[in-house]
Amino acid sequence: MNNNTQLILIVDDEPDIRELLEITLSRMGKETQSAKDIKQAKKLLAEQEYDLCLTDMRLPDGNGIELVKFINNEFPQLPVAMITAHGNMETAIEALKAGAFDFISKPVELKTLRHLINAALKLAPPIIADEQLIADSELELLGSSEAMHLTRKTIAKLARSQAPVYISGESGVGKELVARLIHNKGPRQEKPFVPVNCGAIPTELMESEFFGHQKGSFTGAVTDKQGLFHAADGGTLFLDEVADLPLQMQVKLLRAIQEKAVRPIGGTDEIPINVRILSATHKNLADLVTNNLFRQDLFYRINVIELTVPSLRDRGEDIPVLVEHFLSLIATEWQVDIPHLSNEASEALATYPFPGNVRELENILERAMTLCEKDEITCTDLQLPEFNSSADLNEILESTADLNIRNIELDLDESFSLDPAMSIKEREVITKALEKTRYNKTAAAKLLGITFRQLRYRIKKLGIE
């Protein structure tokens, strides 16, 4: 075998399938070796290095998921794709969660097979040292904390898969940056990365924006228009704030993902599309599913693998390097000298909980640079709101006597009842907490010691604007 020829391992107990795959791969200039069961596949893997493994789900001595897990543990550099029964999405999702690069359904469509093989063979060997993950890249995920170390390792792993990824985390943690890194480190890096803020598209324009339209299909459609799925074809479509999609659009999005095809408004034919779906939101999708505000079937389809991006307060040791990074960026853009922080300013940033996360830190520093004098940023320049979780919580509780009715000065008459009095003080407590956190509901809930859902319910119940 030529040293430059790529070698692919086929694992299937059906001779007809093996022959079809061998012929197809041979025509693509690839060498193949075949195994009829897991035992034989493991023997070949121990004897020979491969560039890709294609395995059937059902094998005489086990299932393909076992082989996927074995390869991921013993040969992490080897991409493995699963051949599944037609329409069995549960098995396909299980394979992706186990670490499969991608899947293909029987009967095998040769065009889809060729695309899968070409994409898998573009994968670079995995980078073990996460510090190198962003080397030679304009995109950076900064920080040396354990939380960021794990996040970078997960990004490196997810980049080698085609599984849909749901990126969760609070506002401002950098979910789009994580999505771009997953795209840039994967086999689709040369194709488009198309981000879309689902909450920013008017409901009446959503179908046209996602799927496109043909000229004359509705009033104002004066030309054919390509949709976002077409724009991302071959690459990645990033659905930011996916929780903001209306239910009607969720149905259509689910069908497009399932069928891997879209039909423009006014069109009669479905057009095949090949995109990887990454999605994100700061909301709790599971809670929305429970409350029938988000479709459960779409949730399971986009949430094959979940990656939670840590908040800045959970990795406070990364603040100094982020400060240095942002000050350098802003100074370069403004063409001024890089200022330094006073000791008091550094200490203030180290203890501030950053309800707005990395985005808030960047905004604080940009504002401070406009206010500082003599290239030194002081506490005054930072303009941090007075916010200390334990101290502020005690202050709020003391000021309201933990909602104890005896501290409420009211004229008791026949019209007085306990519930209105409690509601008055509860409104005061919640309003104070929101003001302390600059109306960040997540931070306010933590300050009050209740869940985000409880706070949201009370805000709605009390009619707090």
Side-chain angles (χ1 to χ4, degrees):
M1 184 180 73
N2 189 315
N3 288 337
N4 295 323
T5 303
Q6 291 164 312
L7 180 61
I8 298 175
L9 175 62
I10 300 168
V11 187
D12 201 304
D13 62 329
E14 297 182 45
D16 291 346
I17 297 291
R18 290 203 304 267
E19 185 178 1
L20 171 66
L21 295 174
E22 288 167 356
I23 292 172
T24 302
L25 292 167
S26 176
R27 288 175 178 171
M28 294 176 67
K30 315 300 179 187
E31 293 283 346
T32 63
Q33 289 183 354
S34 297
K36 63 181 181 180
D37 54 31
I38 294 176
K39 181 179 178 181
Q40 189 178 0
K42 288 182 177 180
K43 183 175 182 296
L44 290 173
L45 286 164
E47 298 170 350
Q48 176 71 53
E49 288 188 6
Y50 295 92
D51 297 288
L52 172 65
C53 174
L54 297 172
T55 178
D56 192 18
M57 175 62 190
R58 294 186 176 180
L59 296 166
D61 56 347
N63 66 53
I65 300 291
E66 296 174 32
L67 186 58
V68 169
K69 292 178 179 177
F70 173 79
I71 289 174
N72 266 268
N73 289 331
E74 302 296 327
F75 307 97
Q77 80 286 355
L78 176 62
V80 52
M82 176 72 73
I83 303 171
T84 66
H86 176 68
N88 194 340
M89 281 307 301
E90 291 77 14
T91 298
I93 289 173
E94 187 181 355
L96 292 171
K97 286 185 175 180
F101 164 76
D102 206 346
F103 67 93
I104 187 169
S105 300
K106 293 179 180 179
V108 176
E109 187 180 73
L110 297 185
K111 181 179 178 182
T112 305
L113 174 64
R114 291 190 192 100
H115 176 84
L116 182 152
I117 290 167
N118 286 330
L121 294 176
K122 286 180 182 177
L123 283 174
I127 298 170
I128 304 302
D130 68 289
E131 288 78 11
Q132 300 176 35
L133 176 63
I134 53 172
D136 303 320
S137 170
E138 293 181 1
L139 298 177
E140 295 182 90
L141 199 61
L142 297 174
S144 58
S145 63
E146 181 64 18
M148 294 314 293
H149 171 78
L150 292 174
T151 300
R152 283 194 288 266
K153 281 187 67 174
T154 305
I155 288 172
K157 183 176 181 180
L158 296 180
R160 295 177 57 78
S161 166
Q162 294 300 290
V165 178
Y166 166 52
I167 305 168
S168 61
E170 298 175 5
S171 292
V173 293
K175 295 187 289 292
E176 182 173 339
L177 173 58
V178 168
R180 286 184 181 274
L181 285 168
I182 292 173
H183 170 81
N184 284 5
K185 290 297 171 182
R188 297 175 179 264
Q189 59 182 299
E190 296 176 0
K191 297 294 184 177
F193 175 87
V194 179
V196 52
N197 187 325
C198 298
I201 304 175
T203 303
E204 63 274 13
L205 297 179
M206 275 193 173
E207 189 172 355
S208 172
E209 287 294 314
F210 277 104
F211 309 135
H213 63 248
Q214 293 190 349
K215 180 180 178 180
S217 57
F218 56 86
T219 303
V222 294
T223 60
D224 289 349
K225 178 183 177 180
Q226 185 184 65
L228 293 166
F229 271 90
H230 284 104
D233 195 29
T236 301
L237 182 62
F238 174 52
L239 305 174
D240 196 9
E241 298 304 341
V242 69
D244 292 340
L245 286 171
L247 287 170
Q248 183 181 7
M249 191 61 207
Q250 291 176 29
V251 177
K252 296 176 180 179
L253 180 64
L254 175 64
R255 189 177 190 284
I257 296 172
Q258 286 178 329
E259 301 299 324
K260 297 185 177 180
V262 297
R263 179 183 296 165
I265 297 176
T268 56
D269 299 324
E270 288 197 329
I271 302 170
I273 48 95
N274 169 35
V275 299
R276 184 181 189 185
I277 300 292
L278 305 179
S279 57
T281 180
H282 70 282
K283 297 179 180 179
N284 189 319
L285 268 190
D287 283 352
L288 295 179
V289 170
T290 301
N291 294 322
N292 296 318
L293 297 174
F294 197 86
R295 289 184 64 94
Q296 185 178 57
D297 45 9
L298 178 59
F299 173 69
Y300 287 133
R301 186 53 53 87
I302 65 176
N303 188 26
V304 172
I305 299 174
E306 180 174 353
L307 169 58
T308 301
V309 185
S311 64
L312 185 53
R313 63 183 165 277
D314 291 333
R315 56 186 189 102
E317 61 265 47
D318 293 335
I319 291 175
V321 69
L322 288 168
V323 168
E324 182 180 348
H325 171 72
F326 286 132
L327 290 180
S328 177
L329 281 182
I330 298 167
T332 300
E333 182 182 350
W334 293 0
Q335 297 183 334
V336 297
D337 293 333
I338 301 175
H340 67 275
L341 295 177
S342 69
N343 292 335
E344 293 78 8
S346 296
E347 291 174 5
L349 289 177
T351 56
Y352 181 65
F354 289 102
N357 291 292
V358 178
R359 185 186 299 134
E360 183 183 13
L361 172 61
E362 183 178 11
N363 292 339
I364 286 171
L365 293 174
E366 186 169 353
R367 180 177 63 232
M369 281 187 63
T370 66
L371 299 174
C372 72
E373 297 179 0
K374 299 179 181 179
D375 293 330
E376 181 180 72
I377 293 176
T378 66
C379 276
T380 304
D381 300 325
L382 292 175
Q383 293 191 345
L384 295 178
E386 293 182 6
F387 186 108
N388 180 282
S389 295
S390 58
D392 283 351
L393 182 56
N394 289 334
E395 177 189 332
I396 290 175
L397 292 177
E398 288 172 7
S399 68
T400 61
D402 198 18
L403 298 181
N404 194 313
I405 196 67
R406 67 174 178 269
N407 287 335
I408 302 175
E409 296 180 7
L410 289 171
D411 293 328
L412 299 182
D413 55 28
E414 293 180 357
S415 65
F416 174 80
S417 68
L418 184 61
D419 283 346
M422 292 291 286
S423 295
I424 291 170
K425 295 309 292 183
E426 188 175 9
R427 178 191 293 272
E428 290 178 6
V429 171
I430 292 174
T431 301
K432 284 183 179 181
L434 289 168
E435 289 172 350
K436 291 282 185 182
T437 59
R438 294 193 292 176
Y439 293 89
N440 182 300
K441 294 187 182 72
T442 301
K446 291 189 176 183
L447 184 64
L448 292 165
I450 60 177
T451 67
F452 178 84
R453 289 181 66 189
Q454 289 171 326
L455 177 62
R456 185 174 59 184
Y457 169 77
R458 291 177 183 181
I459 287 174
K460 184 176 180 181
K461 178 183 175 182
L462 296 169
I464 298 174
E465 294 293 332

